[in-house]
Coordinates of all heavy atoms in Angstrom, one line a residue:
A186 N 170.5 36.5 44.9 CA 170.6 37.8 45.5 C 171.0 38.9 44.6 O 170.7 40.0 44.8 CB 171.8 37.7 46.7
E187 N 171.7 38.6 43.5 CA 172.1 39.6 42.5 C 171.0 39.9 41.6 O 171.0 41.0 41.0 CB 173.3 39.1 41.7 CG 174.6 38.7 42.6 CD 175.2 39.9 43.3 OE1 174.6 40.9 43.5 OE2 176.4 39.8 43.6
L188 N 170.0 39.0 41.3 CA 169.0 39.3 40.3 C 167.9 40.2 40.8 O 167.6 40.1 42.0 CB 168.3 37.9 40.0 CG 169.1 36.9 39.2 CD1 168.4 35.6 39.1 CD2 169.3 37.4 37.7
K189 N 167.4 41.0 39.9 CA 166.2 41.7 40.2 C 165.1 40.8 40.4 O 164.9 39.6 40.0 CB 165.9 42.7 39.0 CG 167.0 43.6 38.6 CD 166.5 44.3 37.4 CE 167.5 45.4 36.8 NZ 167.1 46.0 35.5
P190 N 164.0 41.3 41.2 CA 162.8 40.5 41.3 C 162.3 40.4 39.8 O 162.2 41.3 39.1 CB 161.8 41.5 42.1 CG 162.8 42.2 43.0 CD 164.1 42.5 42.1
G191 N 162.0 39.2 39.5 CA 161.5 38.8 38.1 C 162.6 38.4 37.2 O 162.4 38.1 36.0
G192 N 164.0 38.6 37.7 CA 165.0 38.2 36.9 C 165.2 36.7 36.6 O 164.6 35.8 37.3
V193 N 165.9 36.4 35.6 CA 166.0 34.9 35.1 C 167.4 34.4 35.2 O 168.5 35.0 35.2 CB 165.7 34.9 33.6 CG1 166.0 33.7 32.9 CG2 164.2 35.2 33.5
F194 N 167.4 33.1 35.7 CA 168.6 32.3 35.8 C 168.4 31.2 34.9 O 167.7 30.2 35.1 CB 168.9 31.9 37.3 CG 170.1 31.2 37.6 CD1 171.3 31.3 36.7 CD2 170.3 30.4 38.7 CE1 172.5 30.8 37.0 CE2 171.6 29.8 38.9 CZ 172.6 30.0 38.1
G195 N 169.4 31.1 33.9 CA 169.4 29.9 33.0 C 170.4 28.9 33.3 O 171.6 29.3 33.7
V196 N 170.0 27.7 33.5 CA 171.0 26.6 33.8 C 171.0 25.6 32.8 O 169.9 24.9 32.4 CB 170.4 25.9 35.1 CG1 171.3 24.8 35.5 CG2 170.5 27.1 36.3
V197 N 172.2 25.2 32.3 CA 172.3 24.1 31.3 C 173.4 23.1 31.9 O 174.4 23.5 32.4 CB 172.9 24.6 30.0 CG1 173.0 23.6 29.0 CG2 172.0 25.9 29.4
D198 N 173.0 21.8 31.7 CA 173.9 20.9 32.3 C 173.8 19.5 31.8 O 172.8 19.2 31.0 CB 173.9 20.8 33.8 CG 175.3 20.7 34.6 OD1 176.1 19.9 34.1 OD2 175.4 21.4 35.6
H199 N 174.8 18.8 32.0 CA 174.8 17.3 31.4 C 173.9 16.3 32.1 O 174.0 16.4 33.5 CB 176.3 16.7 31.5 CG 177.3 17.6 31.0 ND1 177.6 17.7 29.7 CD2 178.3 18.3 31.6 CE1 178.6 18.5 29.5 NE2 179.1 18.9 30.7
V200 N 173.1 15.7 31.5 CA 172.1 14.8 32.1 C 172.7 13.5 32.6 O 173.6 12.9 31.9 CB 171.0 14.4 31.1 CG1 170.0 13.5 31.8 CG2 170.3 15.6 30.5
G201 N 172.4 13.2 33.8 CA 172.9 12.0 34.5 C 171.7 11.0 34.8 O 170.6 11.4 34.7
N202 N 172.1 9.8 35.0 CA 171.2 8.8 35.4 C 170.9 8.8 36.9 O 171.8 9.0 37.6 CB 171.6 7.3 34.9 CG 171.5 7.2 33.5 OD1 170.6 7.7 32.7 ND2 172.4 6.3 32.9
D203 N 169.7 8.3 37.1 CA 169.4 8.3 38.7 C 170.3 7.4 39.5 O 170.7 7.6 40.6 CB 167.8 7.9 38.9 CG 167.0 8.9 38.5 OD1 167.3 10.1 38.4 OD2 165.9 8.5 38.1
T204 N 170.8 6.3 38.9 CA 171.6 5.2 39.6 C 173.0 5.4 39.1 O 173.9 4.5 39.5 CB 171.1 3.8 39.2 OG1 171.0 3.7 37.8 CG2 169.6 3.7 39.8
G205 N 173.4 6.3 38.3 CA 174.8 6.5 37.8 C 175.8 7.1 38.8 O 175.2 7.9 39.8
D206 N 177.0 7.0 38.6 CA 178.0 7.7 39.4 C 178.2 9.0 38.7 O 179.2 9.2 38.1 CB 179.3 6.8 39.4 CG 180.3 7.4 40.4 OD1 180.1 8.6 40.9 OD2 181.4 6.8 40.7
N207 N 177.3 10.0 39.1 CA 177.3 11.2 38.3 C 178.6 12.2 38.7 O 179.0 12.9 38.0 CB 176.1 11.9 38.5 CG 174.9 11.3 37.8 OD1 175.1 10.8 36.8 ND2 173.8 11.2 38.5
A208 N 179.0 11.9 39.9 CA 180.2 12.7 40.3 C 181.4 12.3 39.5 O 182.2 13.2 39.1 CB 180.5 12.4 41.8
K209 N 181.6 11.0 39.2 CA 182.7 10.6 38.4 C 182.5 10.9 36.9 O 183.4 11.2 36.2 CB 182.8 9.0 38.5 CG 183.8 8.4 37.5 CD 183.8 6.9 37.8 CE 184.9 6.3 37.0 NZ 185.0 4.8 37.1
L210 N 181.2 11.0 36.4 CA 181.0 11.2 35.1 C 180.6 12.7 34.8 O 180.4 13.0 33.6 CB 179.6 10.4 34.7 CG 179.7 8.9 34.8 CD1 178.4 8.2 34.5 CD2 180.8 8.3 34.0
H211 N 180.7 13.5 35.7 CA 180.5 15.0 35.6 C 179.1 15.2 35.0 O 179.0 16.0 34.0 CB 181.5 15.6 34.7 CG 183.0 15.8 35.3 ND1 183.4 17.0 36.0 CD2 183.9 15.0 35.6 CE1 184.5 16.8 36.5 NE2 185.0 15.6 36.2
R212 N 178.2 14.8 35.8 CA 176.7 14.9 35.4 C 175.9 15.1 36.6 O 176.4 15.0 37.7 CB 176.3 13.7 34.6 CG 177.0 13.3 33.3 CD 176.5 12.0 32.8 NE 177.2 11.6 31.5 CZ 176.6 11.9 30.2 NH1 175.5 12.5 30.2 NH2 177.2 11.5 29.2
M213 N 174.6 15.3 36.4 CA 173.6 15.4 37.4 C 172.2 15.2 36.8 O 172.1 15.3 35.6 CB 173.7 16.7 38.1 CG 173.1 17.9 37.4 SD 173.3 19.5 38.3 CE 172.4 19.1 39.9
T214 N 171.3 14.8 37.5 CA 170.0 14.7 37.0 C 169.3 15.9 37.0 O 169.5 16.9 37.8 CB 169.1 13.6 37.9 OG1 168.9 14.2 39.2 CG2 169.9 12.3 38.1
K215 N 168.3 16.0 36.0 CA 167.5 17.3 36.0 C 166.7 17.6 37.2 O 166.7 18.6 37.7 CB 166.6 17.2 34.8 CG 165.7 18.5 34.6 CD 164.9 18.3 33.3 CE 163.9 17.3 33.4 NZ 163.0 17.3 32.1
Q216 N 166.2 16.5 37.9 CA 165.5 16.7 39.1 C 166.3 17.2 40.2 O 165.7 18.0 41.0 CB 164.8 15.3 39.5 CG 163.8 15.5 40.6 CD 162.6 16.4 40.2 OE1 162.0 16.2 39.1 NE2 162.3 17.4 41.1
Q217 N 167.5 16.8 40.2 CA 168.4 17.4 41.3 C 168.6 18.9 41.1 O 168.5 19.6 42.1 CB 169.8 16.7 41.3 CG 169.9 15.3 41.8 CD 171.1 14.6 41.5 OE1 171.8 14.9 40.5 NE2 171.5 13.7 42.3
A218 N 168.7 19.3 39.9 CA 168.8 20.7 39.6 C 167.5 21.4 40.0 O 167.6 22.6 40.5 CB 169.1 20.9 38.1
I219 N 166.4 20.8 39.7 CA 165.2 21.5 40.0 C 164.9 21.6 41.5 O 164.5 22.6 42.0 CB 164.0 20.7 39.3 CG1 164.0 20.8 37.8 CG2 162.6 21.0 39.9 CD1 163.0 20.0 37.0
D220 N 165.2 20.5 42.1 CA 165.1 20.6 43.6 C 165.9 21.7 44.3 O 165.5 22.4 45.1 CB 165.5 19.2 44.2 CG 164.4 18.2 44.0 OD1 163.3 18.4 43.4 OD2 164.8 17.0 44.0
V221 N 167.2 21.8 43.8 CA 168.1 22.7 44.4 C 167.6 24.2 44.0 O 167.6 25.2 44.8 CB 169.6 22.6 43.8 CG1 170.3 23.8 44.1 CG2 170.1 21.4 44.4
A222 N 167.0 24.3 42.8 CA 166.6 25.7 42.4 C 165.4 26.0 43.2 O 165.3 27.2 43.7 CB 166.1 25.6 40.9
R223 N 164.5 25.1 43.4 CA 163.3 25.5 44.3 C 163.7 25.7 45.7 O 163.1 26.7 46.4 CB 162.3 24.3 44.2 CG 161.6 24.2 42.9 CD 160.7 23.1 42.8 NE 159.8 23.2 41.5 CZ 159.3 22.1 41.0 NH1 159.4 20.8 41.5 NH2 158.6 22.2 39.8
A224 N 164.7 25.1 46.2 CA 165.2 25.2 47.6 C 165.9 26.6 47.7 O 165.9 27.2 48.8 CB 166.1 24.1 48.0
S225 N 166.3 27.1 46.6 CA 167.0 28.4 46.6 C 165.9 29.6 46.5 O 166.4 30.8 46.6 CB 168.0 28.4 45.4 OG 168.9 27.5 45.5
G226 N 164.7 29.3 46.3 CA 163.7 30.4 46.0 C 163.2 30.6 44.7 O 162.4 31.4 44.4
F227 N 163.9 30.0 43.8 CA 163.5 30.1 42.2 C 162.3 29.5 41.9 O 161.9 28.3 42.5 CB 164.7 29.7 41.4 CG 165.9 30.5 41.2 CD1 166.9 30.2 42.0 CD2 165.8 31.7 40.6 CE1 168.1 31.0 41.9 CE2 166.8 32.6 40.4 CZ 168.1 32.3 41.1
I228 N 161.5 30.0 40.9 CA 160.4 29.3 40.3 C 160.9 28.7 39.0 O 161.7 29.2 38.2 CB 159.3 30.4 39.8 CG1 158.7 31.1 41.2 CG2 158.3 29.7 38.9 CD1 157.9 32.2 40.7
V229 N 160.6 27.4 38.9 CA 161.0 26.7 37.6 C 160.0 27.0 36.6 O 158.9 26.4 36.6 CB 161.2 25.2 37.9 CG1 161.7 24.5 36.6 CG2 162.2 24.9 39.0
E230 N 160.3 28.0 35.7 CA 159.4 28.5 34.7 C 159.2 27.7 33.5 O 158.2 27.5 32.9 CB 159.8 29.9 34.5 CG 158.8 30.6 33.4 CD 159.2 32.2 33.3 OE1 160.2 32.4 32.5 OE2 158.5 32.9 33.9
A231 N 160.3 27.1 32.9 CA 160.3 26.5 31.6 C 161.5 25.6 31.5 O 162.5 25.9 32.1 CB 160.1 27.5 30.5
E232 N 161.4 24.7 30.6 CA 162.6 23.9 30.2 C 162.6 23.8 28.7 O 161.6 23.8 28.0 CB 162.6 22.5 30.8 CG 161.5 21.7 30.7 CD 161.7 20.4 31.4 OE1 162.3 19.4 30.9 OE2 161.2 20.3 32.6
S233 N 163.8 23.6 28.1 CA 164.0 23.3 26.7 C 164.8 22.1 26.4 O 165.5 21.7 27.2 CB 164.7 24.6 26.0 OG 165.0 24.3 24.7
S234 N 164.4 21.5 25.3 CA 165.1 20.2 24.8 C 166.2 20.6 23.7 O 166.5 19.8 22.9 CB 164.1 19.3 24.3 OG 163.4 19.8 23.3
M235 N 166.5 21.9 23.6 CA 167.4 22.3 22.5 C 168.7 21.5 22.4 O 169.3 21.5 21.4 CB 167.8 23.8 22.6 CG 168.6 24.2 23.7 SD 168.9 26.0 23.7 CE 167.4 26.7 24.4
Y236 N 169.2 21.0 23.6 CA 170.4 20.3 23.7 C 170.2 18.8 24.0 O 171.2 18.0 24.3 CB 171.4 20.7 24.9 CG 171.8 22.3 24.7 CD1 171.3 23.1 25.6 CD2 172.5 22.7 23.6 CE1 171.7 24.5 25.5 CE2 172.8 24.0 23.6 CZ 172.4 24.9 24.4 OH 172.8 26.4 24.3
A237 N 169.0 18.3 23.7 CA 168.7 16.9 24.0 C 169.5 16.0 23.0 O 169.6 16.4 21.7 CB 167.2 16.6 23.8
N238 N 170.0 14.8 23.4 CA 170.8 14.0 22.4 C 170.4 12.5 22.9 O 171.0 12.0 23.8 CB 172.3 14.2 22.4 CG 173.0 13.3 21.6 OD1 172.3 12.5 20.9 ND2 174.3 13.2 21.6
P239 N 169.4 11.9 22.3 CA 169.0 10.6 22.6 C 170.1 9.5 22.4 O 170.0 8.5 23.2 CB 167.8 10.3 21.7 CG 167.4 11.5 21.2 CD 168.5 12.5 21.2
A240 N 171.0 9.9 21.7 CA 172.2 8.9 21.5 C 173.2 8.8 22.8 O 173.9 7.8 22.9 CB 173.0 9.3 20.3
D241 N 173.0 9.8 23.6 CA 173.8 9.7 25.0 C 173.0 9.0 25.9 O 172.0 9.5 26.3 CB 174.1 11.2 25.3 CG 174.8 11.4 26.6 OD1 175.3 10.3 27.2 OD2 174.8 12.4 27.2
D242 N 173.6 7.8 26.4 CA 172.8 7.0 27.4 C 173.3 7.5 28.8 O 172.9 6.7 29.8 CB 173.1 5.5 27.2 CG 174.5 5.1 27.3 OD1 175.4 5.9 27.7 OD2 174.7 3.8 27.1
H243 N 174.1 8.5 29.0 CA 174.4 9.1 30.3 C 175.4 8.2 31.0 O 175.6 8.4 32.3 CB 173.2 9.4 31.2 CG 172.1 10.0 30.3 ND1 170.7 9.8 30.7 CD2 172.1 10.8 29.4 CE1 169.9 10.5 30.0 NE2 170.8 11.2 29.1
T244 N 176.1 7.3 30.4 CA 176.9 6.4 31.1 C 178.5 6.7 30.8 O 179.4 6.1 31.4 CB 176.8 4.9 30.7 OG1 177.0 4.7 29.4 CG2 175.3 4.4 31.1
M245 N 178.6 7.7 29.9 CA 180.1 8.0 29.5 C 180.4 9.4 30.2 O 179.5 10.2 30.3 CB 180.2 8.2 28.0 CG 181.5 8.5 27.5 SD 181.6 8.5 25.6 CE 181.1 6.9 25.2
I246 N 181.7 9.5 30.7 CA 182.0 10.8 31.3 C 181.8 11.9 30.2 O 182.1 11.9 29.0 CB 183.5 10.8 31.7 CG1 183.8 12.0 32.5 CG2 184.5 10.5 30.6 CD1 185.2 11.9 33.2
S247 N 181.3 13.1 30.7 CA 180.9 14.1 29.8 C 182.1 14.7 29.1 O 182.0 15.3 28.0 CB 180.2 15.2 30.6 OG 181.0 15.7 31.6
L248 N 183.4 14.5 29.6 CA 184.6 15.1 29.0 C 185.2 14.2 27.9 O 186.2 14.5 27.4 CB 185.6 15.4 30.2 CG 185.1 16.3 31.3 CD1 186.1 16.3 32.4 CD2 184.9 17.7 30.7
D249 N 184.7 12.9 27.9 CA 185.3 12.0 26.8 C 185.2 12.6 25.4 O 184.1 13.1 25.0 CB 184.4 10.7 26.8 CG 185.1 9.6 26.0 OD1 185.4 9.7 24.8 OD2 185.5 8.6 26.6
P250 N 186.3 12.6 24.7 CA 186.3 13.2 23.3 C 185.2 12.7 22.4 O 184.8 13.3 21.4 CB 187.7 12.8 22.8 CG 188.5 12.7 24.0 CD 187.6 12.1 25.0
A251 N 184.8 11.4 22.7 CA 183.7 10.8 21.8 C 182.4 11.6 21.9 O 181.6 11.5 21.0 CB 183.7 9.3 22.2
I252 N 182.2 12.2 23.0 CA 180.9 12.9 23.2 C 181.0 14.4 23.7 O 180.0 15.0 23.8 CB 180.1 12.0 24.3 CG1 178.6 12.3 24.0 CG2 180.6 12.1 25.7 CD1 177.7 11.3 24.7

Side-chain angles (χ1 to χ4, degrees):
E187 305 288 21
L188 286 169
K189 296 176 181 177
V193 166
F194 186 20
V196 177
V197 183
D198 222 316
H199 309 287
V200 178
N202 289 327
D203 290 334
T204 58
D206 186 350
N207 291 321
K209 179 180 178 181
L210 300 177
H211 285 265
R212 297 174 180 267
M213 71 184 304
T214 68
K215 181 175 67 176
Q216 190 59 51
Q217 287 171 331
I219 288 173
D220 291 345
V221 168
R223 287 175 173 159
S225 306
F227 284 103
I228 297 167
V229 181
E230 182 175 75
E232 59 182 271
S233 171
S234 59
M235 72 179 78
Y236 300 117
N238 180 8
D241 176 16
D242 66 1
H243 315 148
T244 61
M245 185 180 295
I246 187 170
S247 63
L248 302 174
D249 191 301
I252 200 169

